Amino acid sequence: MTLASLSLVVPLLNPKFASEHAANLCELRVCGTGVIMASMRLPAVADLFKRHCRRWIVAAIAIVMPAAILHAALPTEPEVSGRTSFAGQLLIASPSLRDPFDRAVIMMAQHGRNGALGIVINRPITRRPIASVLAALGADAEGVTDSVLIFLGGPVSPNVAFALHSTEYHGSHTLDIDGRVALSDAAEVLHDIGIGHGPKQSLIAFGYAGWAAGQLEDEIVRGAWVTAPEDPALVFDTDRSKVWTDALALYKNEH
């Protein structure tokens, strides 16, 4: 996602708004601008919103579908001039960071002049049948079996679904992040998983973490985050309760 191409506003998410928003997490709505909002009613998501939203001041992005973001908006060449891009890195919350990123580990998908985007990889919510998730996304679920663990990928647009996955799989709208982990529209990946043709490893997340231009760099300078090289074992395999401590150990080994 190139943040400059989207309309950025910064509202305060109060408990009443969050509760109402979470209560509607199973509607498919097509707005007048063509924006499609697909989501699921997940009690755990509602509870999470109610617990954390007092402190959540987040970038609410007017967004099209993940496929359009991945196909058109994400850059194909590095956009960070004179500094390091953190795309393909793990972004690890410092011990002092609080909600909504308390002990969060984020797989960074994009970092450029216009901002940054990543998926939180250690916020599992609940397991759901793939068919029901696809139905909530307004996608074809015919012939689909199995279930999938759903993650909260970040506080921005928690009703939009993404898939992090291994790179032997490549869909019609896939961003190869670093040669080992890729990012795709979740609906296509879920359908292929449900018919036995999906990636070997995957993580399905609703929502993402986003930063405006220069914001992530400033937060890192202030000590809110540290970074470490991406490790597929941490992204896909590690016990989710250990991801933060294991990622910090990886960071310390690199320094």
Side-chain angles (χ1 to χ4, degrees), residues 203-232:
L203 185 154
I204 306 301
F206 277 71
Y208 63 94
W211 292 263
Q215 183 183 0
L216 178 59
E217 295 91 325
D218 291 343
E219 291 180 4
I220 290 174
V221 168
R222 293 199 306 269
W225 306 93
V226 295
T227 63
E230 172 269 315
D231 182 347

Side-chain angles (χ1 to χ4, degrees), residues 153-170:
V156 183
S157 295
N159 49 356
V160 178
F162 298 89
L164 286 170
H165 56 85
S166 48
T167 52
E168 88 289 342
Y169 173 93
H170 199 280

Side-chain angles (χ1 to χ4, degrees), residues 21-180:
H21 183 75
N24 291 319
L25 285 179
C26 195
E27 296 182 352
L28 181 70
R29 296 179 290 110
V30 181
C31 303
T33 58
V35 175
I36 301 176
M37 306 299 283
S39 53
M40 305 187 329
R41 281 195 187 94
L42 302 177
V45 174
D47 292 339
L48 189 63
F49 267 67
K50 290 173 184 177
R51 283 203 308 273
H52 295 316
C53 60
R54 289 191 186 93
R55 297 182 184 179
W56 280 15
I57 301 177
V58 299
I61 309 292
I63 194 169
V64 289
M65 282 296 286
I69 298 171
L70 299 171
H71 181 66
L74 285 167
T76 57
E77 296 180 359
E79 288 190 349
V80 180
S81 176
R83 64 183 73 181
T84 301
S85 171
F86 295 109
Q89 296 277 304
L90 294 177
L91 192 66
I92 307 160
S94 72
S96 62
L97 202 59
R98 295 294 179 256
D99 296 334
F101 293 119
D102 180 27
R103 296 199 169 198
V105 178
I106 299 173
M107 178 69 216
M108 294 303 299
Q110 183 223 356
H111 177 212
R113 285 192 301 266
N114 296 314
L117 179 150
I119 304 295
V120 179
I121 62 172
N122 60 335
R123 292 283 194 273
I125 301 172
T126 187
R127 182 170 290 275
R128 285 288 184 270
I130 293 175
S132 69
V133 181
L134 286 171
L137 292 171
D140 178 22
E142 184 176 357
V144 168
T145 60
D146 211 345
S147 63
V148 65
L149 183 62
I150 300 296
F151 287 72
L152 183 62
V156 183
S157 295
N159 49 356
V160 178
F162 298 89
L164 286 170
H165 56 85
S166 48
T167 52
E168 88 289 342
Y169 173 93
H170 199 280
S172 58
H173 299 287
T174 294
L175 169 72
D176 190 333
I177 298 173
D178 65 354
R180 299 193 298 178

Side-chain angles (χ1 to χ4, degrees), residues 90-92 103-107 120-124 151 203 231 233-250:
L90 294 177
L91 192 66
I92 307 160
R103 296 199 169 198
V105 178
I106 299 173
M107 178 69 216
V120 179
I121 62 172
N122 60 335
R123 292 283 194 273
F151 287 72
L203 185 154
D231 182 347
L234 285 177
V235 177
F236 300 115
D237 297 335
T238 304
D239 178 354
R240 296 296 98 183
S241 65
K242 296 173 56 182
V243 169
W244 184 73
T245 54
D246 288 351
L248 274 183
L250 181 61

